[in-house]
Amino acid sequence: MYKKDFPYFKNSNVVYLDNAATTQKPQAVIDSQVEYYEHYCANTHRSNFGDANKATQKYENARKHLRSFINASKNEEIIFTKGVTESINFIAHSFANSFDTVIISSLEHHSNIVPWHMQGRTLHKGLEVVKYTSDLDFDFENFEALLQKYPKAFVSVTHISNAFGKINDLKAIIKLAHKYEAVVLVDGAQSLAHMAIDVQALDVDFLALSAHKSFAPTGVGAVYVKEEHLNKLLPYQTGGATIDKVDFESSTLLDSPYKFEAGTQNIAGVIGFSQALSYIESVGYKQIQAYEEELYAYLDEQLHTIEEIKFYNSIQHAIGSRSFNIKGIVHDDIGILLDKMHIAVRVGHHCAQPIMKALGIKGTIRVSIAFYNDKEDIDQFITALKKAIAMLKG
Amino acid sequence: MSIQTKLENYKENLAFFEDELQKYEFIIDLGKKLPPFDEKEQKDENLVQGCTSQVWLICEQKDDRLYFKGTSDAVIVKGLVYMILDIFSGATIQELQEVNMDIVQELNLSEVITPNRQSGVTGMIKKIKSYALLQGA
C-alpha cells in the first residue's frame, strides 16, 4: 500500500526484509536531501546570510519536531547525534561513567554493550546483565534483585530487541528502576519505525534514537536527555559551534543542546529526519501498528508451515523482527540462496553475539518487516526459503 | 593435471551456468563429493581464518607433494572447499609455495559469493600456502 512512496521499490526487484538493519526512504525524505544541497546548502548557527538562516531554521525546526514527536518538554532536551551508537557512547562517557554499576539486559546489541566494556566494566565488575525468561522476555524478578543489590545504578536497556523483536515493557522497567533511584537510558534504535514513544509518560531519563531505521537518512540520530540531567552532563567532545567565548586563557560553553553538538552536524540528515517523522505522522502509528501486527502474525503463521524451523521466542510481546534457524542447515547458506532469489534478509549474529552465545547458536536468519511490506513479500520469501531448504537438504 | 589446468576447468564449469541457482546447485553437489573428515580434526588449530562459516583444513605430505583434506559446517562452503582442495591437493610443495593467485578473481567468484565469504576462500589459499612454506622450511 505504501511502497509507491518509496523509490527503491520502483527501481529494485528485491523483496526487502532487512528493515531492522536500515529502512528504505520515502520520496519526500530523498527530496529534502536534494533540496538542501541544491537550493540552500549553508552551515547552521554561524553565518547570517539568507541560505544560512534558512538552513539554521530548518535544522532547529527539526529539533522542535522531534521534541513534539516524542513529547519532550523542551528543545534543550533534544541533542542530535550520528545515531544510537554515538548517543549511547556520549551518555556513557559524559554521565554514566560516574555510576558504580551499569545494568543492561541480555538482549542488547553491541552498541549497548561495548561502550560499557570500553569503560573497563566487565560482568560483575561494574556491569550487570538482567536475565531473560524462557520466551526471551525481560526477567523482572532478576532485575529487581539487581536493583536491590546495586541501588542508584545506571540502567541501559533496549526498547525492542533488534535480533528477536522482543518489546520491553519500558513503563514497568523505568518505574521499578526509579523506585531504587536508578537512572534509565532506553536504546530506541528499533522503536520509531514501529511505535510511538512518549518520554514524559514513560518518565525515561535518556532515550537514544536512530533516524535511518525509521525512514530517514543514515548518519543521524538523537538523544533525549531529561532536563534535570542536562546540567550534570559534560560535553563528549567540544570545538566549533559549542562555545560562547574563547580566548587563549579559557573557553566558556553555550547551553544545551549546542554545547553537545560540536562541529558541523549532518544538516541535511537532520532535516531529512524531520521529513521522515512527517511521513510517519501522515501514515499514523495507529495504522502502522495495526498493520504490522497483522503482517507479523502472517509471517509467523507462514514460517510455521516449515517443519524444520527452530524459533527462540514466540511472537508475544514482539514486533518487527522474526529470528529463527532451520534444523541441520547453517544460516549462512540460507542467506546466500535467498539473496540469489532476490530476497534481502540478514543472517548472522545481528550485532548481538552475547545472546546468541547464551542460546548456544552462532546466529539466526532474521526477517524484519516495515509497514511498506505486504503479504506478497512474505509469500515470496516463504517460497524462496522452502526452495533454499530443498536445495540444501537435497 | 596442473593447478592452472584444473582452475581453468572449474572456471569453464562455473561459467556454463547462466542461472545463478543452477550454479549453486553445482557447487552444493561438489560439496557432497568431499570425503569424510575426521571429527577429531575439527579443532581450532585447523580452522581457516576469515571464513564466516567454519572451515577446517589439514595437510598430509607424501614425497614432495601435499594432500589436503577439509570440510565446513555450511553446505555451500563445502562445495567451495571441494573445489579448492581438488585444485591444489596433490601439487608439489614447490608449486604450492609459488601459488600467488587471487582465486576469487581467477574463478570469477566475486559474482557468486559475498565479500565476507571471499575472504574465507582467500583464507583457504593462505592456509594451503602456509602449509607448503612450513613443509619446505
Side-chain angles (χ1 to χ4, degrees), chain A residues 303-344:
Chain A
L303 283 170
H304 272 93
T305 64
I306 296 168
E307 219 174 276
E308 307 95 324
I309 211 153
K310 160 86 179 147
F311 291 108
Y312 303 93
N313 61 298
S314 72
I315 59 167
Q316 211 182 3
H317 310 129
I319 198 68
S321 299
R322 197 77 183 104
S323 226
F324 60 90
N325 269 310
I326 305 293
K327 286 169 198 162
I329 298 178
V330 173
H331 49 75
D332 262 4
D333 283 330
I334 296 281
I336 290 176
L337 294 181
L338 288 181
D339 173 45
K340 298 304 161 194
M341 290 184 266
H342 312 293
I343 311 285

Side-chain angles (χ1 to χ4, degrees), chain A residues 328-334 336-341 362 387-388 391-394, chain B residues 20-22 24-25 28 32 52-54 73-77 111-114 117:
Chain A
I329 298 178
V330 173
H331 49 75
D332 262 4
D333 283 330
I334 296 281
I336 290 176
L337 294 181
L338 288 181
D339 173 45
K340 298 304 161 194
M341 290 184 266
K362 287 204 157 43
K387 188 168 183 177
M391 279 178 72
L392 293 163
K393 288 220 161 174
Chain B
E20 289 252 23
L21 283 179
Q22 283 180 352
Y24 275 99
E25 274 174 348
I28 289 167
K32 290 175 188 164
T52 48
S53 308
Q54 296 188 98
D73 56 349
V75 173
I76 294 169
V77 180
E111 288 175 15
V112 183
I113 51 177
T114 60
R117 206 166 289 271

Side-chain angles (χ1 to χ4, degrees), chain A residues 112-126:
Chain A
N112 196 20
I113 300 171
V114 184
W116 309 115
H117 288 164
M118 290 298 115
Q119 286 193 353
R121 299 171 188 273
T122 53
L123 190 61
H124 307 313
K125 287 178 182 166

